[in-house]
Each structure stands twice: as C-alpha cells, then as structure tokens.
C-alpha cells in the first residue's frame, strides 16, 4: 500500500490479501472467529489507515493554515492533499468544493441550516423519499416547521423501488430541494439519482444526495449524477470516525452563508464586523479534524488501489449469493428489492418467529456481528408493520463462507428457540 500522501496505484482484488490488512479480523468474539456483517453501520479499518494516524501524530502533528514552521506546512499539505484525493474519488470539478464535516448527519444539517435557510420560503416544498435515514428527514421536518414549508415524500413499491412515474406529481414548481439517499441503509435499494436530478432541475430545484451508503461501495461521480450536493462519512469507507464530507457545486457553496463562525473561516475581522474566507474554509471554522482528514485520504487510496468497480462487483456477487441462501431458508423475509441487481450489499430481514434482537444476540454468541433495530429509519421500518429488523451488510473483506456462517447461525438459533 502507498503512504498517506501518494496517489493511487492499482492492486488485484484478492479477498485473502485484503483480510490480512485488517487487524481486527484476527480477533475472536465470544471465543469464535469474528464474522463482521455490520458494515453499513461502520466499516473496519486497514492497518494502512490506522498507521496513517500514528504517522501523523508521531511525525507531523501541528495546526494547519496557521504556521510558517515546517510541521505546520507539512500538516497543511497533507490535509489539503487528502481533500484533493476525495475530490478525485467522487470526480468533483474542484477540490474547494469538498468541505470536511463530522459526518453525513452534519453535512445534511449544514445544507439545511445554510442553503435551505436562505432559499426555502413559506409555501415552498422539500421532497425526500420515504426510505430516508433520520438524518435526512429530521433537518427537513424542522426547516419545514420553521418556514411554513411542506415536506413531501416520494413513495416506493412493496419491493422498495421508487415510483418515478409518481414523482412527477410530487416535484412541482414550488419544490426547492429534492434530497434522496443514493442507497437505502435498510432496503439496499439503489435510487435513480440522475433521473431525480433531471426532474429537480426541470423545476429549478436543487438535488442533495445522501451517499453515506453508496460512496463506500460503488463508483460515485457527482458530475455524472448531476448532483448539486452530496455527502458521506469516512467511517463507513475504511476511514476514521468523526469526519465526513459535504460536496457542493462551487456557485451554490459560494453563495451560501457560513454554518459556524470562528477561526479560519474569516477573511477579516474588525471590532464591528467580519467577512468570510474563500471556499472551502468558509465552512471549516476552528481547528479542523486534521488527523482524520489525512486518514480519510489514506482510506481513499486503499479503495482506489482496489478499484471501486471491483469493490462493487465483489459486493454484488456476495449480495446475490446471500439473498439466495437467506431466501432458501423459507421462513425469512428480506426487505427491499428481491432482484439482487437492483440493490447493494445491505440485507434487512425478518424471521417468521424469532425477534431480531434475539437473533442478533444469539448470532453474537457465535461471533457474528449484525445490526438489529430500526436502523435510524423508524418510519420506513414501521411501514412494514414491524418495529425492528435484522440486517447483514457486507464490505470488501467479507466472503461467501461468512454468508454461510450467518445462515448456519440463523438455523442454530432456530434450533435453540424450538427447544
Ligand atoms: N447509518 C446504519 O447503521 P452518520 O451517522 O452521520 O455517519 O451517517 C448517518 C447516515 C445517513 N444516511 C444514511 C443512508 C446512513 O446509512 C447513515 C448512517 C448507519 O445504517 C448508522 S445509523
């Protein structure tokens, strides 16, 4: 693997070699080999990313954009290099369009508190889908309450596929923003973002893409999607917690008011007033999360070396295999598209007789980590007349034998509960 400042080379997609890069995959959980299938919540980290944090703190640690001394210059270079890597990764036209935030949630709140605050008025509407994470519902609910605007939902069919034909009557001349998840963290559905972008642009609205579940797993090109804003979190894509990205079109970001005030985001301050720094710094008040930005660059290097086409192909194969195995059990219902080609590697399921929390706890005893609950998408999960679902989600280091372990684990749990 490259060091944290180099640009990506290519590497063969070899799952055994990939697994060897992840120290945590060697540990036992409850005396069993760890089978980590909770990647939609947060991914594991390769040594390359962990080492980039150690290297930064041992060799470079300093504040950025402030000093003339060597450490500060090196820290600034590495921090800005990471921004450039992210820009290249999502094919952003300019690296100044990449804003570091804490996570996807903060990126969404930033747009709600700045762009939407300035552009949404009474009687306008904001359109989201009915399969959003709370982070892409609640900021818009709050904004709609405050502004006297309407929050509208795009519906989906029983298979979790968006009703594009119906979207034409939901998105109208009073729509200011369409905000949609690229891949559902519950259903796995991949949404038709380019089509929604065209519909939004047709009525003069902008489109925001919640790419928390897509950027880590598939090639994402903000220009091909014709997106206006797009956000994601590093911790779901091999990077550290506490850092995320908001990408936005330069003209939009440039016209937006700041989100927070303080050091680095100003150009000039007098006792009476202040004016704002250029992008991206206008949105990065205070000392930023330097180490984690650099480690995000290392994560992007790692994924780029594997190639996002290969990452996606691997996960599609695993998903198809897992769907087949899980559905063949006969007593487990899978939420979302039944056709694996329409979805990503997130499989939420409901067992006929075992509660998801019991299943999750029993699987944990076998070293298998899945997520159970409402997955921070309460309205969506409740729409299936349940309060919780079990969810297995995959990443680059998962294997078919881990899918087998999951299916065997479910069978063993059935045996336990039938005793
Ligand atoms: N979903 C899951 O287990 P943060 O927490 O800010 O990094 O990401 C929020 C978020 C936004 N949108 C989507 C589609 C998401 O999946 C998530 C995070 C995790 O499904 C944690 S709740």
């Amino acid at each position: 693997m490259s060091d944290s400042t180099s640009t990506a080379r290519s590497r063969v997609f070899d799952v055994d070699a990939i697994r060897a890069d992840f120290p945590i995959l060697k540990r036992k959980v409850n005396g069993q080999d760890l089978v980590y299938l909770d990647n939609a919540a947060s991914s594991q980290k390769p040594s390359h990313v962990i080492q980039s944090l150690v290297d930064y703190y041992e060799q470079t640690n300093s504040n950025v954009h402030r000093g003339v001394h060597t450490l500060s210059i090196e820290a600034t270079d590495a921090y800005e290099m990471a921004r450039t890597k992210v820009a290249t990764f999502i094919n952003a036209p300019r690296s100044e369009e990449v804003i570091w935030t804490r996570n996807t949630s903060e990126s969404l709140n930033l747009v709600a508190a700045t762009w939407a605050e300035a552009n949404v008025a009474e009687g306008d509407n904001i359109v989201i889908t009915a399969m959003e994470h709370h982070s892409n519902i609640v900021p818009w609910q709050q904004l709609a309450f405050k502004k006297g605007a309407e929050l509208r939902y795009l519906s989906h069919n029983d298979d979790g596929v968006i009703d594009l034909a119906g979207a034409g009557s939901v998105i109208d001349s009073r729509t200011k923003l369409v905000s949609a998840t690229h891949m559902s963290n519950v259903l796995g559905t991949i949404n038709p973002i380019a089509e929604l972008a065209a519909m939004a642009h047709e009525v003069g609205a902008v489109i925001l893409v919640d790419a928390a579940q897509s950027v880590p797993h598939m090639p994402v090109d903000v220009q091909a999607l014709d997106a206006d804003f797009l956000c994601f979190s590093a911790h779901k894509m091999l990077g550290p917690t506490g850092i995320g990205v908001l990408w936005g079109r330069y003209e939009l970001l440039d016209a937006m008011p700041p989100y927070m005030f303080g050091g680095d985001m100003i150009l000039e301050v007098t006792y009476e007033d202040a004016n704002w720094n250029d992008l991206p710094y206008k949105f990065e008040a205070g000392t930023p999360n330097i180490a984690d930005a650099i480690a995000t660059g290392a994560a992007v290097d790692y994924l780029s070396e594997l190639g996002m086409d290969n990452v996606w192909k691997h996960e599609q194969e695993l998903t198809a295999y897992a769907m087949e195995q899980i559905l063949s059990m006969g007593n487990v219902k899978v939420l979302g598209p039944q056709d694996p080609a329409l979805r990503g590697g997130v499989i939420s399921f409901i067992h006929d007789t075992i509660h998801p929390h019991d299943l999750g706890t029993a699987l944990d005893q076998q070293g298998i980590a899945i997520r159970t609950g409402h997955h921070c998408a309460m309205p969506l999960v409740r729409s299936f007349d349940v309060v919780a679902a079990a969810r297995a989600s995959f990443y680059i280091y998962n294997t078919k034998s881990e899918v087998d372990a999951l299916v065997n684990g479910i069978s063993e749990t059935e045996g336990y509960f039938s005793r």
Side-chain angles (χ1 to χ4, degrees), residues 34-314:
L34 169 64
V35 175
Y36 187 76
L37 301 177
D38 194 18
N39 294 286
S42 203
S43 78
Q44 298 303 344
K45 325 299 174 199
S47 307
H48 173 68
V49 168
I50 299 166
Q51 192 57 43
S52 76
L53 289 167
V54 174
D55 288 348
Y56 171 74
Y57 283 119
E58 287 188 352
Q59 303 294 330
T60 318
N61 180 49
S62 184
N63 213 326
V64 290
H65 306 139
R66 284 159 173 82
V68 291
H69 61 80
T70 300
L71 292 188
S72 178
I73 292 165
E74 285 180 10
T76 303
D77 285 352
Y79 177 73
E80 292 304 333
M81 170 69 85
R83 192 192 307 276
T84 304
K85 288 175 182 180
V86 167
T88 305
F89 193 63
I90 58 172
N91 197 27
R94 302 171 68 160
S95 65
E96 305 96 295
E97 297 172 334
V98 171
I99 315 292
W100 296 115
T101 61
R102 281 188 303 143
N103 46 39
T104 305
S105 303
E106 188 175 65
S107 301
L108 291 162
N109 276 276
L110 191 163
V111 179
T114 59
W115 184 88
E117 179 68 40
N119 288 284
V120 176
E122 190 174 348
D124 288 339
N125 66 69
I126 298 151
V127 175
I128 63 177
T129 79
M131 62 176 86
E132 298 304 321
H133 185 280
H134 298 160
S135 295
N136 200 23
I137 302 176
V138 185
W140 310 120
Q141 285 176 339
Q142 294 302 312
L143 186 93
F145 292 146
K146 187 172 164 192
K147 294 280 185 173
E150 190 189 346
L151 181 58
R152 296 181 173 178
Y153 290 88
L154 296 175
S155 59
H156 50 260
N157 68 13
D158 291 345
D159 257 10
V161 175
I162 289 273
D163 173 18
L164 257 189
S169 57
V170 181
I171 299 170
D172 66 14
S173 60
R174 294 303 303 266
T175 304
K176 284 290 180 305
L177 175 81
V178 175
S179 187
T181 187
H182 196 182
M183 190 203 292
S184 163
N185 69 319
V186 176
L187 308 175
T189 312
I190 299 151
N191 282 323
I193 296 298
E195 286 83 347
L196 290 174
M199 294 173 98
H201 294 154
E202 180 74 32
V203 296
V206 302
I207 183 154
L208 191 167
V209 186
D210 175 351
Q213 298 293 349
S214 60
V215 164
H217 302 282
M218 60 168 75
V220 170
D221 177 333
V222 293
Q223 298 187 62
L225 292 174
D226 207 10
D228 297 302
F229 296 108
L230 182 137
C231 45
F232 52 98
S233 302
H235 70 93
K236 294 186 198 292
M237 52 185 286
L238 312 180
T241 52
I243 188 144
V245 169
L246 169 67
W247 169 83
R249 280 188 200 279
Y250 191 92
E251 313 70 52
L252 289 174
L253 292 171
D254 198 40
M256 278 154 57
Y259 181 47
M260 284 176 61
F261 302 98
D264 232 20
M265 57 74 63
I266 48 79
L267 214 49
E268 194 184 14
V269 183
T270 64
Y271 281 120
E272 290 74 32
D273 205 356
N275 54 34
W276 318 136
N277 204 343
D278 296 333
L279 293 175
Y281 311 115
K282 182 173 79 175
F283 292 107
E284 294 181 1
T287 299
N289 188 347
I290 306 161
D292 293 323
I294 293 168
T296 302
V300 164
D301 281 343
Y302 191 98
L303 288 169
S304 302
E305 290 184 27
L306 290 176
M308 290 309 291
D309 284 324
N310 298 326
V311 169
W312 184 230
K313 184 167 167 275
H314 172 73

Side-chain angles (χ1 to χ4, degrees), residues 37 321-322 325 368 399-410:
L37 301 177
Y321 181 72
Q325 297 302 309
I368 302 168
T399 62
K400 287 186 179 165
S401 54
E402 289 184 313
V403 171
D404 295 340
L406 171 70
V407 172
N408 291 337
I410 298 172

